[in-house]
Amino acid sequence: MIDRSSRLGWLLVAPAITTMAAIAIAPIVWTIWESLHFHDLRMPWLGRPFVGLANYQEALVDRRFRGAFIHTVVFAVVTVTLELTAGLVVALAVDGIRRARGVIRTMVLLPWAIPTVVVGLTWRFMFETQSGPTWFADPIAAWVPIVLADVWKTTPFVAILLLAGLQNIDASLYEAASVDGAGPWQMFTNVTLPMLRPALVVAFLFRALDAFRVFDLVYVMTGGGPGTATEPLAVYTFVSLLQNLRFGFGAALSVIAFGTTLLIALVTIRLFGRAAFTEPA
Amino acid sequence: MQPAWAVLGLVLASAACGAPSKRVLTFSGSALGREGEVISRQLERFRRLNPSITVELRSTPDASDQRRQLYVQWLNAHAPDPDVLQLDVVWTAEFAAAGWIAGLDSYSPPVDHFVDATLNANRWNGRLFALPWFVDVGMLYWRTDLVPHAPATLEELTMLAAAAQRDHGVPFGFVWQGARYEGLVTVFLEQLGAHGGRILDADGHVTVDSENAVAALTAMRDQIVASGITPEAVLSWQEEQARLAFQNGQAAFMRNWPYAYALLNDPSRSRVSGRFAVAPVPGAAGGAPTAALGGSQLAINAFSDQPDEAWRLIEFLLQPEQMVERAQIAGQFPPRTDLYEGEALAAALEISPAAALQVIVRAVPRPVSPVYSQLSDILQVSLHRALTRQQEPRAALVEAADAMRGLLARVKLVPAES
């Protein structure tokens, strides 16, 4: 039997649960349901028959989809690695600065404040050449401006997250380490890194999930080209949904992307993240 | 509390009653810049001539993909507005097959006056669903100071372009639109026609993997990698990048739409004003000069509650007077053949009507199919892969043709075998 206080508790969280259900869960459930149908907006005469997993089967044998999935994974691995490394270096540098820290912090954060589309257009402009070899005509080289733009824009975000983590590390830990005779490298690996783990996990999660959904940067810079050499999952989903108007198939692609990001988040938290969310940093 | 609710109820009730009392005919299309200027003038005249009809302009995005998305959303919901739609030439079949636009044959439209190709692009299952409003055609722009005459064949174009690069030091011989987007398909369509090929044959079979098509795509790639008349940079160029290169005097030849003419001829902005001319994109051996057909159409929303008024507006906009005015202000070619013989158009256009007509009669529509946008998407990817040397032209076209056949089979649009 539910006692009065727990009933009151449920009553109090009911509005929050209802809101979540309406704005987050309902659309996801609807998208999953849609992905089990053949639904092509251009062909109302074919109706909207239930087709089970046919859209998923089509995706699995679709070379363009497999390419897009691989591009997304590679992009995420490369950019997140670069961003975490560069972000850590910047955070350590800013942490070491004693004067005008506020101003410097603001300056470091500037790229993050610029809209992604503007960043994309600017970097594309810088890499567009009129003569000689063209970056955007080569399937490998075309990635270089995209990755650079992404790293340039989001490293500051990582740096600020890590800087907050650094500033929370108790100075007495370093004193104790130096009393024990630890050098700078030992202090970094034995004090800084372990203490920074919660911040690192949060930064990794944010960046990994964002990188997996990359759309605007690629859309503006290469449109997924040359051919489909730089096309990530989100751009292919966009093409299927809004250009080809294949709602069933597009929904299936969205569900696959959603499932993968959810998996990344769950695995990350399970493996080394639980502490980041339960213990105070 | 209660008075507030009562007031709200009154407001809602009056809004609900007020709406249908005066019916408004809505027109949706480009409302920016010079095109916007023409249309608002013409709607004003229409209002004066038809005081019983209230007509309003509903502006929609100028970017073609965005406008199409908006239309599809509205029409899928069976929205009765806008009553009259401005359609891109490649949408008519899609919208007609979906039952979103009304058949026009019952209004006995003046079809005899229009260029054939522009009408064929607007027919689906033998019925007419839209009428051409203005035509766009791909043309060859050439520098009269660098090149002695317009080329008669594609081979000659390559020769003249290379000679201009060599003798006059112009950096690029021939520039076109090579980015992976719709424009690339129109450039390819012209090269394909020049080599005697087609994307779909007359019965709707996919023929984009024919020998002619392989030859056409190979020729395009060779312009970049073999003769070097075309810079690799075109692989990310759309219309404007090509126009700017030509306008700055960097190219001997350019493939582009008519809009570029007036801009290139403006001495305050252009370094080549008075030093260029237009000609048809030439054919190769075994083919014919071909121009990709673009442009806008007018159609009636199938869910409109005032189709007759909508037709009156379309009829008005297609009158010679309106078309000449549009040519004069926006530089857009009229689709009516009779206008090219009169004086009025010569006075209105910067380009000579005879030169324009020479290209327009060679206009070829892109495949007329309800799934055109997806056919185009498949083709864009394969063309771009071949041009960026990720695939050989033949392999790329075979892959595209297979994907296109698969798509047509899946949506049950396979031509009947006879």
Side-chain angles (χ1 to χ4, degrees):
Chain A
M1 190 180 155
I2 306 171
D3 60 38
R4 278 187 59 191
S5 71
S6 86
R7 193 156 56 193
L8 179 67
W10 279 108
L11 214 62
L12 288 174
V13 295
I17 291 179
T18 317
T19 313
M20 286 284 285
I23 66 170
I25 297 169
I28 292 172
V29 171
W30 182 254
T31 306
I32 295 173
W33 182 240
E34 177 81 18
S35 75
L36 303 176
H37 291 80
F38 175 92
H39 187 197
D40 192 322
L41 236 49
R42 298 165 304 186
M43 281 163 274
W45 69 89
L46 293 176
R48 185 171 169 270
F50 182 86
V51 292
L53 296 175
N55 287 321
Y56 293 93
Q57 279 164 357
E58 189 190 332
L60 290 184
V61 297
D62 181 2
R63 262 185 55 188
R64 189 163 168 186
F65 166 77
R66 285 193 304 226
F69 194 86
I70 294 167
H71 299 154
T72 313
V73 171
V74 173
F75 173 81
V77 169
V78 173
T79 55
V80 173
T81 309
L82 291 174
E83 281 155 20
L84 286 183
T85 315
L88 184 60
V89 170
V90 173
L92 288 169
V94 175
D95 193 41
I97 293 170
R98 291 284 157 254
R99 276 195 228 161
R101 200 190 266 181
V103 177
I104 289 166
R105 207 161 41 197
T106 312
M107 278 163 54
V108 166
L109 204 53
L110 267 182
W112 176 249
I114 299 173
T116 312
V117 171
V118 178
V119 172
L121 287 173
T122 312
W123 280 82
R124 189 180 82 183
F125 186 71
M126 289 196 282
F127 276 84
E128 245 170 18
T129 47
Q130 274 219 331
S131 45
T134 328
W135 289 89
F136 297 111
D138 185 277
I140 304 292
W143 279 107
V144 173
I146 300 177
V147 169
L148 278 178
D150 195 69
V151 171
W152 181 79
K153 179 179 157 69
T154 48
T155 294
F157 170 76
V158 175
I160 292 295
L161 275 184
L162 298 184
L163 183 62
L166 285 177
Q167 289 171 349
N168 273 329
I169 299 177
D170 196 338
S172 62
L173 291 173
Y174 290 107
E175 284 163 28
S178 82
V179 168
D180 289 344
W185 179 248
Q186 276 177 314
M187 274 200 218
F188 176 71
T189 54
N190 291 321
V191 179
T192 312
L193 272 187
M195 293 307 290
L196 205 53
R197 196 170 81 164
L200 275 170
V201 171
V202 171
F204 170 81
L205 257 186
F206 267 112
R207 285 314 311 146
L209 299 190
D210 254 4
F212 210 82
R213 296 173 305 149
V214 62
F215 174 80
D216 32 16
L217 209 53
V218 179
Y219 186 72
V220 167
M221 293 181 78
T222 65
T228 52
T230 62
E231 187 174 73
L233 213 44
V235 171
Y236 187 38
T237 308
F238 172 81
V239 169
S240 304
L241 268 174
L242 291 167
Q243 224 159 290
N244 295 333
L245 302 168
R246 302 186 62 202
F247 275 39
F249 183 66
L253 297 184
S254 308
V255 170
I256 294 173
F258 166 73
T260 318
T261 42
L262 189 68
L263 203 69
I264 296 174
L266 290 178
V267 168
T268 313
I269 293 172
R270 170 74 28 120
L271 279 185
F272 30 61
R274 200 164 276 275
F277 298 96
T278 50
E279 288 166 17
Chain B
M1 271 306 254
Q2 246 171 357
W5 283 113
V7 169
L8 184 64
L10 270 177
V11 169
L12 287 176
S14 63
C17 301
S21 70
K22 189 159 196 192
R23 293 200 309 178
V24 176
L25 185 73
T26 44
F27 172 84
S28 158
S30 308
L32 289 177
R34 292 182 169 185
E35 281 189 74
E37 191 188 325
V38 184
I39 191 65
S40 47
R41 264 197 215 194
Q42 297 187 350
L43 289 183
E44 194 48 52
R45 274 210 299 278
F46 180 76
R47 285 188 196 105
R48 278 206 301 277
L49 290 169
N50 301 275
S52 62
I53 304 177
T54 313
V55 59
E56 257 175 32
L57 184 66
R58 177 89 35 102
S59 58
T60 41
D62 251 22
S64 146
D65 276 348
Q66 285 173 26
R67 182 180 293 159
R68 174 167 158 270
Q69 280 166 32
L70 208 56
Y71 282 179
V72 170
Q73 280 171 25
W74 287 340
L75 295 168
N76 232 286
H78 295 197
D81 285 333
D83 301 279
V84 178
L85 303 164
Q86 175 182 351
L87 300 185
D88 194 284
V89 65
V90 288
W91 304 343
T92 308
E94 180 179 13
F95 284 30
W100 292 336
I101 50 179
L104 299 181
D105 291 308
S106 58
Y107 297 105
S108 18
V111 286
D112 301 342
H113 298 301
F114 289 87
V115 179
D116 278 341
T118 65
L119 287 173
N120 294 339
N122 287 311
R123 286 205 175 93
W124 178 243
N125 280 345
R127 292 171 63 202
L128 190 70
F129 281 90
L131 280 169
W133 192 18
F134 57 85
V135 254
D136 246 348
V137 278
M139 306 198 289
L140 183 71
Y141 289 76
W142 60 282
R143 287 277 297 278
T144 47
D145 55 339
L146 303 181
V147 181
H149 54 86
T153 63
L154 270 183
E155 293 77 13
E156 195 182 10
L157 168 62
T158 307
M159 218 183 63
L160 293 173
Q165 281 175 291
R166 192 180 55 236
D167 303 338
H168 296 278
V170 61
F172 312 137
F174 180 33
V175 295
W176 33 273
Q177 295 82 46
R180 200 200 83 192
Y181 79 123
E182 184 60 34
L184 177 58
V185 176
T186 61
V187 174
F188 175 66
L189 187 81
E190 285 158 8
Q191 299 281 320
L192 187 61
H195 285 83
R198 302 182 63 159
I199 296 175
L200 303 183
D201 72 9
D203 302 323
H205 295 98
V206 177
T207 52
V208 79
D209 51 354
S210 66
E211 288 305 318
N212 305 350
V214 175
L217 185 53
T218 309
M220 283 171 77
R221 188 194 61 176
D222 286 349
Q223 286 165 7
I224 301 171
V225 302
S227 61
I229 57 171
T230 302
E232 200 184 14
V234 300
L235 296 170
S236 60
W237 281 9
Q238 301 193 358
E239 284 83 0
E240 282 296 87
Q241 286 101 331
R243 201 253 303 171
L244 287 173
F246 192 81
Q247 180 171 307
N248 290 332
Q250 291 173 301
F253 292 95
M254 168 179 72
R255 183 271 172 206
N256 215 324
W257 305 98
Y259 86 97
Y261 197 95
L263 298 168
L264 294 173
N265 220 11
D266 174 358
S268 67
R269 292 191 259 190
S270 167
R271 292 194 194 163
V272 298
S273 72
R275 291 191 284 145
F276 71 96
V278 291
V281 179
T290 305
L293 174 73
S296 276
Q297 333 297 311
L298 295 173
I300 302 177
N301 181 343
F303 313 105
S304 163
D305 47 14
Q306 38 192 341
D308 294 338
E309 287 85 346
W311 171 252
R312 265 164 78 183
L313 176 60
I314 291 181
E315 210 177 15
F316 169 81
L317 290 174
L318 297 183
Q319 291 305 311
E321 182 196 356
Q322 272 64 255
M323 287 192 172
V324 171
E325 184 182 43
R326 176 162 281 274
Q328 185 175 10
I329 298 177
Q332 288 164 332
F333 293 160
R336 296 181 76 119
T337 35
D338 46 357
L339 287 177
Y340 289 86
E341 288 144 23
E343 303 277 302
L345 194 63
L349 279 178
E350 289 219 23
I351 209 165
S352 97
L357 190 63
Q358 202 193 0
V359 182
I360 292 171
V361 293
R362 295 184 164 90
V364 173
R366 283 159 276 171
V368 179
S369 164
V371 289
Y372 173 73
S373 63
Q374 203 174 343
L375 293 174
S376 166
D377 184 47
I378 292 169
L379 195 54
Q380 288 168 32
V381 167
S382 288
L383 294 175
H384 208 244
R385 280 191 185 142
L387 293 173
T388 54
R389 283 176 283 169
Q390 298 178 63
Q391 257 181 329
E392 281 302 308
R394 184 181 301 277
L397 289 174
V398 166
E399 195 177 317
D402 284 347
M404 288 160 98
R405 288 188 190 109
L407 166 66
L408 292 175
R410 212 165 47 239
V411 298
K412 306 184 173 66
L413 287 169
V414 184
E417 292 304 326
S418 49

